[in-house]
Each structure stands twice: as structure tokens, then as C-alpha cells.
């Protein structure tokens, strides 16, 4: 009498048997690298002060030192841009970390968002004068004002030409830097909050290809 093999056992056996075939045919699956690999998070929670007599384009400082903050605008509205660069892979990692041996490309980047909000620090509510919000990575829009309605955690995927361009950097064993910027547009009438709070935390997960 034949004994029945549980479905999970049969699936595992099929996967184990398939791995040598995949590797033998020259198809190596992508490797996902995130926090466990040591890739730092985009850690962007900060609060900036906006004086009552503030004029767009006046210097503004992030007290946490996480962002370079600039502003521009008109008498009616002001646009604040928070910029941060995150070094996901250092040049030295290619030789020192076995996970990157033979790496040839970045095939995609996921941002696992754990915090995302724009608040009036005094009320802990969305500013009444918030007009727009756009979050970008590599110049590609990944977050919009609509995403403020989502409850984290959620994931945003970066792909396309901006990520394709990283292939040459991987092959040359260069740093992989993720440029992130968040643009917040607020009305100046009514006056913007005295303290504008940006909560943004996201863990990059890189899909590394081995061609």
C-alpha cells in the first residue's frame, strides 16, 4: 500500500529538484536585499519651524539633519522640498558580501512604507492649508496626496528607466544611492502651521539580478 505524501512535501520536493535545473540552464533567480542585508531605511520623520513672517525661498533648516530643505512659491502658496539621499549599497559591499557576488543589475526596488503623514505639529492633524504632496525616488513619482489616506504599512515599487540605469553602476561596482524627495505645497492664507511635521519611514528592498 502506497503511503500518501502531503501536498506541502511534494511541493518542497519539486522545488528542490527544480533548483539544479534552473541554475544549470543559466537562470539565476533575483535576490531580495533589505534590512537584513544592512540596507538603511529612508528615515525622514522631522519637524521644521515656519516663522510668521516667513517668505518662500527664505532659508529653512531641518533640526534633525535628515533633509536638505528648500522652498519656493508665491504670495498665495509655498512649496517645501525635503531631499534625502540613501546609500543602499556601498562600493566595498560587492567584494565583502557574498550576496552580491556576480551581481549584474538592479531589477526593481520596493519601498516598504511604515510611516507617511504630513501634520500640523500643534494639532497632530493634517494642515488645513495643505494643497498638494508628491514623493519621488530617482525622479519618479511614487507617493501622492492620495496615499495619505492609506494606513501603513504599504509598499511602493520603483521600476522603469530610472532603475534600469543602475545596471551600469552595479557592473562597475559603484555605490547605489537612492535619491528621495518629498514636496509639500501649503497655502499661505490661512497662514501655514508654525511647525510642519513630516513623518516618512520606508525600508528599501532591492531586487538584485545575476545575468
Amino acid at each position: 500500500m502506497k503511503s500518501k505524501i502531503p501536498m506541502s512535501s511534494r511541493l518542497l520536493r519539486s522545488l528542490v529538484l527544480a533548483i539544479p535545473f534552473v541554475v544549470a540552464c543559466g537562470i539565476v533567480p533575483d535576490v531580495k536585499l533589505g534590512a537584513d542585508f544592512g540596507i538603511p531605511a529612508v528615515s525622514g520623520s522631522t519637524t521644521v519651524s515656519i516663522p510668521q513672517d516667513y517668505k518662500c525661498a527664505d532659508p529653512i533648516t531641518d533640526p534633525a539633519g535628515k533633509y536638505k530643505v528648500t522652498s519656493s512659491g508665491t504670495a498665495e502658496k509655498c512649496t517645501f522640498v525635503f531631499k534625502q539621499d540613501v546609500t543602499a549599497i556601498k562600493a566595498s559591499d560587492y567584494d565583502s558580501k557574498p550576496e552580491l557576488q556576480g551581481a549584474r543589475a538592479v531589477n526593481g526596488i520596493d519601498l516598504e512604507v511604515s510611516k507617511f503623514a504630513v501634520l500640523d505639529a500643534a494639532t497632530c492633524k493634517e494642515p488645513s492649508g495643505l494643497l498638494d504632496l508628491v514623493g519621488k525616488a530617482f525622479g519618479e513619482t511614487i507617493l501622492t496626496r492620495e496615499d495619505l489616506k492609506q494606513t501603513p504599512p504599504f509598499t511602493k515599487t520603483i521600476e522603469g528607466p530610472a532603475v534600469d540605469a543602475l545596471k551600469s553602476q552595479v557592473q562597475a561596482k559603484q555605490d547605489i544611492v537612492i535619491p528621495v524627495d518629498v514636496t509639500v505645497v501649503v497655502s499661505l492664507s490661512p497662514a501655514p502651521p508654525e511647525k510642519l511635521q513630516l513623518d516618512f519611514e520606508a525600508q528599501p528592498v532591492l531586487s538584485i539580478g545575476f545575468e
Side-chain angles (χ1 to χ4, degrees):
M1 179 178 179
K2 294 184 177 179
S3 59
K4 293 184 178 181
I5 301 175
M7 180 65 71
S8 59
S9 297
R10 281 184 284 167
L11 178 59
L12 179 60
R13 180 178 295 177
S14 298
L15 289 173
V16 171
L17 291 174
I19 289 173
F21 175 77
V22 170
V23 175
C25 290
I27 303 172
V28 180
D30 287 0
V31 173
K32 299 279 189 178
L33 302 179
D36 291 344
F37 177 76
I39 293 177
V42 179
S43 182
S45 295
T46 191
T47 301
V48 296
S49 297
I50 305 175
Q52 287 186 343
D53 59 349
Y54 182 80
K55 296 179 181 179
C56 294
D58 282 353
I60 191 165
T61 303
D62 172 13
K66 296 178 179 179
Y67 288 105
K68 177 183 178 182
V69 186
T70 58
S71 70
S72 61
T74 65
E76 291 78 32
K77 63 182 180 180
C78 201
T79 299
F80 296 91
V81 181
F82 299 77
K83 292 187 176 182
Q84 179 182 162
D85 290 339
V86 176
T87 301
I89 295 176
K90 295 179 290 186
S92 59
D93 291 338
Y94 294 98
D95 294 322
S96 64
K97 297 192 175 183
E99 298 93 335
L100 289 174
Q101 297 298 311
R104 301 293 293 169
V106 176
N107 290 329
I109 300 174
D110 287 338
L111 281 182
E112 298 176 345
V113 181
S114 56
K115 287 184 182 180
F116 186 53
V118 176
L119 306 169
D120 179 336
T123 63
C124 291
K125 295 181 179 180
E126 184 177 302
S128 58
L130 180 65
L131 300 177
D132 199 10
L133 180 147
V134 177
K136 294 183 177 182
F138 297 103
E140 301 286 334
T141 298
I142 55 171
L143 293 163
T144 68
R145 188 177 178 182
E146 284 298 304
D147 290 305
L148 292 173
K149 300 175 183 178
Q150 292 197 64
T151 301
F154 57 86
T155 300
K156 292 289 183 175
T157 298
I158 310 167
E159 53 190 7
V163 174
D164 295 341
L166 297 177
K167 181 176 181 179
S168 61
Q169 293 175 241
V170 172
Q171 294 180 358
K173 297 185 177 181
Q174 297 174 346
D175 290 352
I176 299 298
V177 178
I178 304 174
V180 176
D181 62 78
V182 180
T183 299
V184 180
V185 184
V186 296
S187 171
L188 295 178
S189 180
E194 292 183 9
K195 291 184 180 294
L196 184 66
Q197 180 177 333
L198 172 63
D199 281 343
F200 181 41
E201 302 281 344
Q203 174 62 54
V205 177
L206 278 65
S207 181
I208 302 297
F210 302 81
E211 296 177 348

